[in-house]
Amino acid sequence: MHPTTKIAENHIRISRALFNEGIRAAESSTYKKAIFLMSALYLIAAVFLWHTGAPLFFLFGELLFLGMLLFWLLMILPGKRRRSKYKAMVQDTVGIPERTIIFYQTNLSVKTNTGKETIVPYDEIQNWQETRNLYILICKNNIRILLDKKGFTAGDFQIIKSVLFS
């Protein structure tokens, strides 16, 4: 059970745009490194083919293949993942999902507009990120809690940071 002294409260309506913003911010750096590595390997192969005097047809084929692969990895796959995750989140709700996050002395409570409540102890929160419209709390087990910058009805993020990361 959580203590009843409320430190801060945040309300967020998770529109598709806010959800996409949060997902983009939370993308794995490993994914970005893999894309960079593929591009570097292509450049190495291109220099090798150019240096050995191989026909440019091979270089063009490699460029075409890499271009299609990068387009799929950067545009198609992330968009498909975001749509499926958002669809899974709105499955139990009518309309746009809403969350109320209440910060107490030792934990926070995330309540959905369907009535479900999740308690997160502060020791599970590892870090935070900031985007244009959101603060994102990064928890263990790859869980992210979105906070709307304009959604504070009590307290503010500075108070939360002092409690969480002091």
Side-chain angles (χ1 to χ4, degrees):
M1 206 48 82
H2 50 77
T4 57
T5 305
K6 182 169 46 173
I7 296 171
E9 184 172 336
N10 186 275
H11 296 278
I12 182 170
R13 290 183 48 136
I14 307 173
S15 66
R16 186 177 297 269
L18 277 181
F19 183 79
N20 288 341
E21 182 178 327
I23 291 288
R24 281 190 191 103
E27 283 180 342
S28 169
S29 63
T30 305
Y31 186 74
K32 294 174 186 176
K33 288 177 186 175
I35 290 172
F36 176 77
L37 180 64
M38 282 192 319
S39 300
L41 288 175
Y42 168 76
L43 186 59
I44 291 169
V47 169
F48 177 76
L49 288 173
W50 186 273
H51 179 68
T52 60
L56 292 180
F57 175 75
F58 291 116
L59 190 59
F60 178 71
E62 291 289 324
L63 179 62
L64 184 65
F65 175 74
L66 180 70
M68 290 187 314
L69 184 61
L70 287 176
F71 179 76
W72 184 74
L73 286 173
L74 293 171
M75 303 300 283
I76 305 298
L77 185 61
K80 188 175 183 178
R81 283 184 182 164
R82 285 191 302 269
R83 283 189 300 274
S84 67
K85 286 182 180 184
Y86 188 76
K87 186 177 179 181
M89 184 176 64
V90 300
Q91 186 174 12
D92 296 333
T93 64
V94 176
I96 297 176
E98 296 181 29
R99 304 287 186 266
T100 301
I101 302 95
I102 301 174
F103 295 87
Y104 298 102
Q105 292 153 337
T106 59
N107 57 24
L108 64 89
S109 165
V110 179
K111 296 178 185 176
T112 68
N113 53 338
T114 61
K116 181 181 174 189
E117 181 179 20
T118 304
I119 304 294
V120 180
Y122 288 154
D123 62 353
E124 290 188 14
I125 299 173
Q126 299 172 327
N127 207 348
W128 67 279
Q129 283 181 286
E130 182 177 1
T131 66
R132 198 174 102 223
N133 299 302
L134 299 170
Y135 295 112
I136 304 168
L137 298 178
I138 303 166
C139 304
K140 293 179 181 176
N141 299 325
N142 203 23
I143 295 172
R144 306 287 197 264
I145 299 172
L146 303 178
L147 303 173
D148 189 345
K149 286 183 174 180
K150 299 176 185 175
F152 284 96
T153 57
D156 62 11
F157 194 69
Q158 296 305 321
I159 294 170
I160 295 167
K161 280 193 328 188
S162 68
V163 171
L164 294 177
F165 305 107
S166 59

